[in-house]
Amino acid sequence: AIQCVHDPLLVILSYVVSVLGSFTALQLAIAIPGSTGAARWRAITAAGIAMGGGAIWAMHFIAMLACRMNVEVTYDLPVTLGSAVIAVVSCMAGLAIAGSGVFNWGKLIVGGVLRGLGVTGMHYAGMAAMVMPADTVYNSSLLVASGAIAVVASIVALWLAFNLRGWGQMLGSALVMGVAVCGMHYTGMLAASFIPDKSAAAAGGVSGGYLGVGIFVVTTALLAAVLTISLLRQRQRAMVRI
């Protein structure tokens, strides 16, 4: 099998963006329980994009680019973008279910399982986007383990989103969530073996040595901007109440 050697810098960046995305999503999710109508869906959409697009998908794609192999690898753009949509939609669905009405464990588990399955689907759709002269074969036990990690992490993430308010608590939770998201991804990568297949062409798609760093910079800037706006709005609402 072709060996995958991970670039340490991109591995670190994948964790950092996951933590920032998780923290931003936790901040945005504060507005969900107390909102109704269009305001509620704006909060769900914003938190879903931060978690699904930043904490999960950006982490996943940067970590994919961290995998260095001695064959040319590119990524099918439509499939890659489709995996991002799966991550965002599944996170929005989980937040919408868990945050509807009175918070309870039944909604939490349903929303967490749905979100976890979406995250798992995102990961393996992203793996399917790899275009290279090799076939990907999976270890079924590790594949199931990666899905289980995603479901458990999703349930924990939803519980944290609707039960934490303090900065210190949110930061600690975001650090833990970063570990969980990365754990799911790298378990999924460990499940994969890449078997050479010269009949498969590695043509088209996106690639590049600096693509991972570029995605990190853009995602971090967007998350930082959204987080800043969210904190300013929270401060304005607090001042109005005073």
Side-chain angles (χ1 to χ4, degrees), residues 4-144:
C4 169
V5 179
H6 285 91
D7 182 323
L9 173 62
L10 291 180
V11 169
I12 293 171
L13 293 182
S14 71
Y15 175 71
V16 172
V17 79
S18 184
V19 170
L20 179 58
S22 297
F23 185 79
T24 303
L26 289 173
Q27 285 288 336
L28 295 170
I30 291 175
I32 295 174
S35 302
T36 57
R40 179 173 181 272
W41 280 107
R42 283 195 296 270
I44 290 172
T45 301
I49 291 174
M51 179 60 76
I56 297 171
W57 181 83
M59 176 273 146
H60 160 83
F61 195 55
I62 292 171
M64 290 290 293
L65 294 170
C67 177
R68 308 294 194 192
M69 296 187 286
N70 60 354
V71 296
E72 182 185 1
V73 181
T74 61
Y75 293 87
D76 182 276
L77 188 57
V79 177
T80 300
L81 294 177
S83 69
V85 172
I86 293 172
V88 171
V89 170
S90 65
C91 286
M92 288 176 57
L95 289 166
I97 293 171
S100 62
V102 179
F103 182 82
N104 60 55
W105 280 98
K107 294 177 183 177
L108 176 68
I109 292 174
V110 171
V113 169
L114 179 62
R115 180 178 178 275
L117 293 176
V119 171
T120 305
M122 177 281 304
H123 174 82
Y124 290 104
M127 294 286 286
M130 298 176 74
V131 182
M132 58 184 172
D135 296 322
T136 306
V137 179
Y138 291 102
N139 178 301
S140 57
S141 297
L142 290 174
L143 188 150
V144 171

Side-chain angles (χ1 to χ4, degrees), residues 15 18-31 51 157 159-178 227 230-231 234:
Y15 175 71
S18 184
V19 170
L20 179 58
S22 297
F23 185 79
T24 303
L26 289 173
Q27 285 288 336
L28 295 170
I30 291 175
M51 179 60 76
W159 186 91
L160 295 173
F162 296 107
N163 287 276
L164 295 185
R165 291 297 179 267
W167 264 70
Q169 290 176 304
M170 286 190 179
L171 179 58
S173 299
L175 292 169
V176 172
M177 283 308 304
L227 180 60
S230 174
L231 293 174
Q234 289 178 33

Side-chain angles (χ1 to χ4, degrees), residues 157-240:
L158 290 176
W159 186 91
L160 295 173
F162 296 107
N163 287 276
L164 295 185
R165 291 297 179 267
W167 264 70
Q169 290 176 304
M170 286 190 179
L171 179 58
S173 299
L175 292 169
V176 172
M177 283 308 304
V179 172
V181 173
C182 290
M184 180 271 162
H185 173 85
Y186 291 111
T187 301
M189 289 299 291
L190 188 62
S193 296
F194 305 103
I195 310 301
D197 180 4
K198 294 182 179 180
S199 64
V206 293
S207 63
Y210 297 102
L211 185 58
V213 175
I215 291 174
F216 171 80
V217 171
V218 173
T219 304
T220 300
L222 291 173
L223 288 172
V226 171
L227 180 60
T228 301
I229 294 171
S230 174
L231 293 174
L232 289 174
R233 286 179 176 174
Q234 289 178 33
R235 181 173 297 181
Q236 289 174 351
R237 286 194 292 267
M239 291 177 67
V240 170

